[in-house]
């Protein structure tokens, strides 16, 4: 049951908790994907990997690299959404000493670091149009110019890109360059969400039991039949990462090394959740009495700052409710991911790399 599982290397600095840390090829759809990966990997073609957050896009990119002629060269994954607009250019293309305030020494960018190997540009849709222009030039010319330098540096890198957004829609919205899209999209891999490859779910669940048994010394647990049934039927909106979090939590609270259905803390589907209804005679939404009581309590305790404090707490609670998944939080609150990300950074819930900053 544990065959064909691939995992991310253990990196202590890894802070992007939405990433899947394991991928399995047990479901028939996943087996087909693995065979296709083996077919296209030996080529030098750029690959665009599309899939929901937590489906294991970086792991698929590593599989492409491992089955390519570059397997003994570097594989580097860069999260394009993890850096501020002022730093992303330096991170990708490098900089010379004194190129900007805080640049106390010269640094190679990720393109240079991946020279000879493979570079994965994760969350490619988060790059600004300005950086997209520079990236397109690098891909066309096969050379980079560091910030603060006029000297071009030849590079030999296979570029893979990953995204959880529809780039074709982004092009229509004038948020992504069409020429860059076609440069990256020589081959497309669409990674199915976990709910569409149910044969992978239990093998992954057992893998995570093994993982935490080995890493943290938890007792080796088993699933009850009811727990297995619950795992199979759940839609897993957070995909592999949500499954891992659910298993980790269940291992903490289960009794006698048996994970029961109630030990699995899962999000309710919209059909299961209570939906507020509109009064047919009044155009006013029905307010939950408990929520109204909470608001009244806040009004009594605070003067003039209720809205800001409630907004902050709402975002924090929603973020953790969605297992620290920015995309799902944005969908839950009806806001854009960029707004969610900016507010999480302000609240200290999301740490952004500051390499090269003051």
């Amino acid at each position: 049951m544990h065959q064909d599982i691939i995992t991310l290397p253990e990196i202590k600095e890894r802070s992007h908790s939405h990433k899947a840390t394991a991928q399995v090829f047990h479901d028939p759809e996943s087996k087909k994907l693995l065979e296709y990966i083996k077919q296209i990997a030996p080529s030098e073609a750029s690959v665009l990997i599309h899939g929901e957050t937590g489906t294991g896009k970086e792991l698929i990119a590593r599989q492409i690299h491992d089955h390519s002629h570059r397997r003994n060269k570097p594989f580097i994954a860069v999260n394009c959404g993890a850096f501020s607009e002022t730093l992303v250019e330096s991170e990708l293309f490098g900089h010379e000493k004194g190129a900007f305030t805080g640049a106390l020494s010269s640094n190679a960018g990720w393109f240079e670091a991946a020279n000879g190997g493979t570079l994965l540009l994760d969350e490619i849709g988060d790059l600004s149009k300005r950086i997209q222009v520079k990236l397109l030039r690098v891909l066309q010319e096969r050379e980079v110019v560091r910030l603060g330098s006029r000297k071009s540096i030849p590079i030999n890198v296979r570029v893979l890109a990953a995204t959880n957004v529809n780039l074709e829609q982004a092009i229509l919205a004038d948020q992504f360059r069409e020429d860059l899209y076609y440069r990256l999209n020589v081959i497309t891999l669409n990674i199915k969400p976990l709910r569409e490859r149910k044969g992978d779910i239990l093998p992954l669940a057992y893998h995570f039991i093994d993982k935490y048994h080995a890493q943290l010394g938890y007792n080796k647990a088993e699933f009850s039949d009811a727990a297995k049934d619950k795992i199979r039927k759940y839609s897993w909106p957070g995909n592999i990462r949500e499954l891992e979090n659910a298993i980790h939590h269940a291992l903490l609270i289960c009794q006698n090394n048996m994970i029961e259905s109630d030990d699995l803390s899962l999000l309710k589907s919209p059909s299961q959740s209570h939906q507020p209804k509109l009064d047919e005679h009044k155009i006013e939404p029905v307010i939950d009495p408990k929520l109204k009581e909470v608001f009244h309590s806040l009004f009594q305790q605070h003067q003039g700052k209720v809205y800001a404090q409630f907004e902050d707490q709402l975002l924090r609670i929603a973020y953790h409710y969605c297992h620290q998944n920015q995309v799902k939080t944005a969908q839950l609150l009806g806001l854009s991911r960029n707004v969610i990300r900016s507010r999480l950074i302000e609240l200290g819930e999301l740490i952004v790399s500051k390499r090269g900053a003051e």
Side-chain angles (χ1 to χ4, degrees):
M1 196 170 213
H2 302 275
Q3 296 177 353
D4 297 326
I5 287 183
I6 55 173
T7 59
L8 282 181
E10 292 299 325
I11 302 174
K12 292 181 181 179
E13 294 79 8
R14 186 175 298 284
S15 61
H16 308 296
S17 61
H18 61 274
K19 282 186 179 293
T21 62
Q23 185 66 278
V24 68
F25 300 98
H26 194 274
D27 188 272
E29 290 294 329
S30 298
K31 290 179 179 178
K32 290 179 186 177
L33 175 64
L34 182 59
E35 289 305 310
Y36 186 57
I37 288 171
K38 292 176 180 179
Q39 289 178 2
I40 59 100
S43 76
E44 289 295 303
S46 298
V47 181
L48 180 62
I49 306 168
H50 181 269
E52 295 179 6
T53 297
T55 49
K57 295 186 290 295
E58 180 177 329
L59 288 160
I60 295 300
R62 288 179 181 272
Q63 280 289 287
I64 295 172
H65 174 75
D66 290 344
H67 286 90
S68 75
H69 302 302
R70 297 174 180 264
R71 65 179 68 90
N72 295 320
K73 299 295 184 178
F75 173 91
I76 293 179
V78 183
N79 187 335
C80 296
F83 306 105
S84 65
E85 170 68 16
T86 56
L87 286 179
V88 67
E89 185 174 0
S90 167
E91 292 288 335
L92 288 175
F93 312 127
H95 65 260
E96 295 294 340
K97 180 179 179 180
F100 52 84
T101 303
L104 304 179
S105 61
S106 298
N107 274 309
W110 295 119
F111 271 93
E112 287 182 68
N115 200 30
T118 304
L119 177 65
L120 169 65
L121 299 177
D122 199 2
E123 296 191 28
I124 188 75
D126 284 352
L127 290 179
S128 69
K129 294 287 287 290
R130 183 180 71 85
I131 300 299
Q132 290 175 34
V133 172
K134 293 180 178 289
L135 174 59
L136 180 62
R137 181 185 177 280
V138 170
L139 296 179
Q140 290 173 336
E141 305 297 330
R142 314 301 294 179
E143 60 184 27
V144 294
V145 178
R146 293 182 181 181
L147 280 173
S149 173
R150 296 182 179 179
K151 178 184 176 182
S152 61
I153 303 171
I155 55 165
N156 172 21
V157 175
R158 184 182 189 180
V159 174
L160 310 178
T163 181
N164 57 24
V165 301
N166 187 321
L167 292 184
E168 293 180 354
Q169 291 182 359
I171 292 170
L172 294 175
D174 196 31
Q175 296 175 344
F176 201 83
R177 290 182 62 94
E178 188 173 11
D179 46 5
L180 177 58
Y181 172 74
Y182 287 115
R183 172 69 63 169
L184 295 169
N185 191 29
V186 178
I187 298 172
T188 301
L189 288 182
N190 290 307
I191 312 303
K192 291 183 179 295
L194 198 53
R195 61 184 172 275
E196 294 181 17
R197 43 191 175 99
K198 293 186 177 295
D200 290 343
I201 297 176
L202 274 179
L204 278 167
Y206 278 108
H207 163 74
F208 292 129
I209 286 179
D210 290 343
K211 172 183 176 179
Y212 289 107
H213 170 68
Q215 283 187 0
L216 306 175
Y218 292 168
N219 292 326
K220 201 70 173 289
E222 182 54 81
F223 296 106
S224 69
D225 290 340
K228 289 180 183 179
D229 190 54
K230 187 174 183 178
I231 287 173
R232 290 192 192 99
K233 291 181 178 179
Y234 183 60
S235 63
W236 299 107
N239 292 294
I240 298 171
R241 186 65 203 194
E242 184 184 6
L243 174 61
E244 178 174 358
N245 288 344
I247 300 305
H248 189 183
H249 179 261
L251 288 171
L252 289 170
I253 63 174
C254 72
Q255 301 292 320
N256 302 317
N257 302 329
M258 179 63 69
I259 296 176
E260 301 289 352
S261 176
D262 290 343
D263 296 327
L264 295 164
S265 178
L266 307 179
L267 300 179
K268 290 184 178 179
S269 67
S271 61
Q272 295 172 308
S273 302
H274 172 70
Q275 299 294 322
K277 298 179 181 179
L278 294 180
D279 190 306
E280 294 179 358
H281 303 290
K282 301 177 183 177
I283 312 206
E284 298 179 359
V286 177
I287 300 175
D288 187 306
K290 291 183 179 179
L291 184 60
K292 190 174 181 179
E293 184 179 338
V294 170
F295 280 138
H296 283 179
S297 177
L298 285 172
F299 295 152
Q300 292 170 3
Q301 296 176 30
H302 303 282
Q303 297 294 328
K305 296 182 180 180
V306 174
Y307 182 82
Q309 292 183 0
F310 178 77
E311 183 182 35
D312 291 348
Q313 291 302 318
L314 175 64
L315 180 54
R316 283 193 172 100
I317 293 169
Y319 183 51
H320 289 279
Y321 178 81
C322 294
H323 301 287
Q324 298 178 315
N325 184 315
Q326 296 175 49
V327 175
K328 297 300 179 185
T329 305
Q331 293 172 347
L332 180 66
L333 298 181
L335 300 170
S336 73
R337 180 187 175 279
N338 287 337
V339 169
I340 292 294
R341 182 173 180 275
S342 297
R343 292 290 292 117
L344 289 172
I345 292 172
E346 291 174 7
L347 295 174
E349 291 285 342
L350 188 64
I351 306 299
V352 179
S353 173
K354 296 183 179 180
R355 186 167 76 87
E358 290 183 275

